[in-house]
Amino acid sequence: MFQETIAPVGKRTMILNMGPQHPSTHGVLHLILELDGETILKATADIGFLHTGIEKTCEAKTYHQAITLTERIDYLCPLTNNLCYVLAVEKLLGLEPPSRAQWMRVMLNELTRIGSHLVWLGTHANDIGATTVLLYCFREREEILNLFEAVSGQRMMTSYFRVGGLALEPPAGFLKRVEKVMATFPDHIDEYEELLTRNRIWMARTKSVGILTKEDALDFAVSGPTARASGIDWDLRRDNPYSSYDKFSFRVPLRAEGDIYARYIVRMEEMRESLKIVRQALEGMPEGPIQVNAPAVVLPQGDNRKTEMEALIQQFKIVIDGFCVPPGEVYQAVESPRGEMGYYIVSDGTAHPYRVKVRSPSFANLQALPRLAEGRLLSDLVACIGSIDIVLGEIDR
Amino acid sequence: MTTTVLLFTLLKVIVIVFVVLTAVAYAVWFERKVVARLQSRWGPTRVGPHGLLQPLADAIKLLTKEDITPANVFRLVYFLAPALSVITALLAFAAIPFGPVTLVGGVDLFQIANLDIGVLYILSISSMGVYGIALAGWSSNSKYALLGGLRSSAQMISYALAAGLSLVGVLLLSGSLNLRDIVNAQAGATWGFIPHWNIFPQLLGFFCFLTAAIAQTNRLPFDLPEAESELVAGYHTEYSSMKFAMFFMAEYANMLTVSCMVTLLFLGGWHGPVFGPALLQTMLPLLWFSLKVLALLFLYIWIRGTLPRFRYDQLMAFGWKFLFPLALVNVLLTSLIVAYRAD
């Protein structure tokens, strides 16, 4: 890899190793750049610096234990990972969680999406030099993380979704809290847009820069907002609904230009749409249990296990041995903030998954980066990296 | 020149260098505070009340840090570059008058050297600063530093031209290159409340100079030489400890120089209402001068907190295709007006 990128003697180009420690490669991405002056002739992504072996580790865990690993794959949207994995296991088991659990999942998922987009916006703007936006975004993300902490006890590694429903009953007044936080959000998004959307410098830096054509996007299997900014009208929440997303009405933002600005606009509008979904979830939140009635899978709730022998035995069995899943394989995809996130799980009938494979959107989206950046300036590369919103944990897994 | 005068001048130089360095340190504190408030943070609060002793703590930290010299640097130039930066930045203050002529023992209290070509001197000495940056980038054997150094040489040279040209209007109006004369030409007011500041007849020149000056001092939105998201830290990537601090000081000293220049050339320098007892009357001009400089510093920081960064080619296009012609138009217009008045 290193050999082939070294220019022959006499060629007036420079090889620049950007990363893995670089302020704007969003983690530990290593790019081998061949530069002519500041123009990028060739960009080669070198990944693997954040390899954690999570997929393999899952095989040694029970199905429930593996949930805690999934959220570490894409640490900016932990709940989306939880959801995707849990949905896949539920599909294997043939379980359908009660509607309240499904609605809570949708709501928390959209909050995660907003939180993730806030981090994207902040870091992206920071890369282009607008430092203030970063601080504003993290200020609002903090509110969302506080909500996660209230509901699950953890700010980031939530593990709140469990096979068969939710981990815990949400605290009293939780929906009120969400409502209160969400009420201020449209103003906040307006604030970011005021700083950027019509800003001449921002437009000059992003418009007609890093163009990804529709054909290229399809060829690279790009998904999510990055694909929708290139005119591919594909959103799994609408086109392949899961967890009762079909009961919500929302618009899928679409742009045809395929440049950085289009990706920016798509994500900004997506945040507003997510707000709408959260509001609908708040208004129509059904009553009822948060877990499906499946004693072999779901941990007994409340004080049952202190008074009932059966419950205690179940608790012990699930915690120590886990639950067995019928043999088979399943692929479940959800729309993560970055695109199509899929979990492929093979079960051999035991309490441990035989194989867990993650289809990570960032991995596919990163493939498009050389196409976006080659022939452009170094500054554009930084803007391009930000605009495809990659998370290295998800790429390397 | 008598020994007393020499001694006095030496003392004055020491005092002014001390004041300027303190001002630099507190400009950093001011920037951190203001940017923090713009970004809904607190900024430094721990060291002293309102973090007022933070500059001191920073200085101690930077002085005691390990001074790392990377392998294969061009040692002579590598060591010379930060010194060059900071020396040129400080030398500019030699010609800046901070207040009206106040003679004590035959020595002017508020200026080191009253040069007849003060404007030219400051422009040229601050253009020299580019050597420090270019040489630092070239000698530190790092690709990021090299790119940063190249960027800034091109940027500072192009914008120095626009900055110089945008001052021609002021020079035409006041007919002098002496900073004191230029300030004195701005004394008084029309109808008692509109001051005779050059900013009013030279609005175009003011904006040209301010923009060019921001670019020349490598500040956002023109901070490409050290764009940390692209070039890690640009030309000073490989510098640590006090050598890094010298670049840092030079940058802020240049900011101060530019703010002083704008104050002197466009905002009437130290002119403002003067009243009260004799001592107050000597000190008030200093206060007006400092307040104007402070307001400009605030503007600098405000811009930094608001705008994203230009791309390199856009920056060059902006300088050559927009700012430079605009400065030329300003020169043309001002000369026409001056010629018309002279008739």
Side-chain angles (χ1 to χ4, degrees), chain A residues 62-72 82 85-86 159-163:
Chain A
T62 66
Y63 280 94
H64 251 147
Q65 284 171 335
I67 295 175
T68 55
L69 295 175
T70 60
E71 60 214 5
R72 283 158 173 84
N82 285 168
Y85 171 79
V86 160
S159 294
Y160 185 58
F161 302 154
R162 299 288 164 83
V163 179

Coordinates of all heavy atoms in Angstrom, one line a residue, chain A residues 62-72 82 85-86 159-163:
Chain A
T62 N -23.6 -13.8 25.2 CA -25.0 -14.2 25.0 C -25.6 -13.0 24.2 O -25.1 -11.9 24.0 CB -25.7 -14.4 26.3 OG1 -25.8 -13.1 26.9 CG2 -25.0 -15.4 27.2
Y63 N -26.8 -13.4 23.7 CA -27.5 -12.4 22.8 C -27.7 -11.0 23.6 O -27.6 -10.0 23.0 CB -28.8 -12.9 22.3 CG -28.6 -13.8 21.1 CD1 -28.5 -15.2 21.3 CD2 -28.5 -13.3 19.9 CE1 -28.3 -16.0 20.2 CE2 -28.3 -14.1 18.8 CZ -28.2 -15.5 19.0 OH -28.0 -16.3 17.9
H64 N -28.0 -11.1 24.9 CA -28.3 -9.9 25.6 C -27.0 -9.2 25.9 O -26.9 -7.9 25.8 CB -29.0 -10.2 26.9 CG -30.4 -9.8 27.0 ND1 -31.4 -10.5 27.6 CD2 -31.0 -8.8 26.3 CE1 -32.5 -9.8 27.4 NE2 -32.3 -8.8 26.7
Q65 N -25.9 -9.9 26.2 CA -24.7 -9.2 26.5 C -24.1 -8.5 25.3 O -23.5 -7.4 25.5 CB -23.6 -10.3 27.0 CG -23.8 -10.8 28.4 CD -22.9 -11.9 28.7 OE1 -22.5 -12.7 27.8 NE2 -22.7 -12.1 29.9
A66 N -24.4 -9.0 24.1 CA -23.9 -8.4 22.9 C -24.4 -7.0 22.7 O -23.8 -6.2 22.0 CB -24.1 -9.2 21.7
I67 N -25.6 -6.7 23.3 CA -26.2 -5.3 23.1 C -25.2 -4.3 23.5 O -25.0 -3.2 22.9 CB -27.5 -5.2 23.9 CG1 -28.5 -6.2 23.3 CG2 -28.0 -3.8 23.8 CD1 -29.8 -6.2 24.1
T68 N -24.5 -4.5 24.6 CA -23.6 -3.5 25.2 C -22.4 -3.3 24.2 O -21.8 -2.2 24.3 CB -23.1 -3.9 26.5 OG1 -22.5 -5.2 26.4 CG2 -24.2 -4.0 27.6
L69 N -22.1 -4.2 23.4 CA -21.0 -4.0 22.4 C -21.5 -3.2 21.2 O -20.7 -2.4 20.7 CB -20.5 -5.4 22.0 CG -19.8 -6.2 23.0 CD1 -19.4 -7.6 22.5 CD2 -18.6 -5.5 23.6
T70 N -22.7 -3.4 20.8 CA -23.2 -2.8 19.5 C -23.1 -1.3 19.6 O -22.7 -0.7 18.6 CB -24.6 -3.2 19.2 OG1 -25.5 -2.8 20.3 CG2 -24.7 -4.7 19.1
E71 N -23.4 -0.7 20.7 CA -23.4 0.7 20.7 C -22.0 1.3 20.7 O -21.9 2.5 20.4 CB -24.1 1.2 22.0 CG -23.5 0.8 23.3 CD -24.5 0.5 24.3 OE1 -25.7 0.6 24.0 OE2 -24.1 0.2 25.5
R72 N -21.0 0.5 20.9 CA -19.7 1.0 20.8 C -19.2 1.0 19.4 O -18.1 1.5 19.1 CB -18.7 0.2 21.7 CG -18.9 0.6 23.1 CD -18.4 -0.5 24.1 NE -18.5 0.0 25.5 CZ -19.5 0.0 26.2 NH1 -20.7 -0.5 25.7 NH2 -19.5 0.4 27.5
N82 N -28.2 -0.2 19.0 CA -29.0 -1.1 19.8 C -30.3 -1.5 19.1 O -30.6 -2.7 19.0 CB -29.5 -0.3 21.0 CG -28.4 0.0 22.1 OD1 -28.6 0.7 23.0 ND2 -27.3 -0.7 21.9
Y85 N -29.6 -4.1 16.2 CA -29.3 -5.4 16.7 C -30.5 -6.1 17.3 O -30.8 -7.3 17.0 CB -28.1 -5.3 17.7 CG -27.8 -6.6 18.4 CD1 -27.1 -7.6 17.8 CD2 -28.3 -6.8 19.7 CE1 -26.8 -8.8 18.4 CE2 -28.0 -8.0 20.3 CZ -27.3 -9.0 19.7 OH -27.0 -10.1 20.4
V86 N -31.2 -5.4 18.1 CA -32.3 -5.9 18.8 C -33.4 -6.4 17.9 O -34.0 -7.4 18.0 CB -32.8 -4.9 19.9 CG1 -34.2 -5.2 20.3 CG2 -31.9 -4.9 21.1
S159 N -27.5 1.2 26.0 CA -28.0 -0.2 26.1 C -29.5 -0.2 26.6 O -29.9 -1.0 27.4 CB -27.2 -1.1 27.1 OG -25.9 -1.3 26.5
Y160 N -30.3 0.7 26.1 CA -31.6 0.9 26.6 C -32.6 -0.1 25.9 O -33.6 -0.5 26.5 CB -32.1 2.3 26.5 CG -33.4 2.6 27.1 CD1 -33.6 2.4 28.4 CD2 -34.5 3.1 26.3 CE1 -34.8 2.7 29.0 CE2 -35.7 3.4 26.9 CZ -35.9 3.1 28.2 OH -37.1 3.4 28.8
F161 N -32.4 -0.4 24.7 CA -33.3 -1.3 24.0 C -32.8 -2.7 24.3 O -31.6 -3.1 24.2 CB -33.2 -1.1 22.5 CG -33.6 0.3 22.1 CD1 -33.2 0.9 20.9 CD2 -34.4 1.1 22.9 CE1 -33.5 2.2 20.5 CE2 -34.8 2.4 22.5 CZ -34.3 2.9 21.4
R162 N -33.8 -3.6 24.7 CA -33.4 -5.0 24.9 C -34.3 -5.9 24.0 O -35.3 -5.4 23.5 CB -33.8 -5.3 26.4 CG -33.0 -4.5 27.4 CD -31.5 -4.9 27.4 NE -30.7 -4.0 28.1 CZ -30.5 -3.9 29.4 NH1 -31.1 -4.7 30.2 NH2 -29.7 -2.9 29.9
V163 N -33.9 -7.1 23.9 CA -34.6 -8.0 23.1 C -36.0 -8.1 23.7 O -36.1 -8.5 24.9 CB -33.9 -9.4 23.0 CG1 -34.8 -10.3 22.2 CG2 -32.6 -9.2 22.4

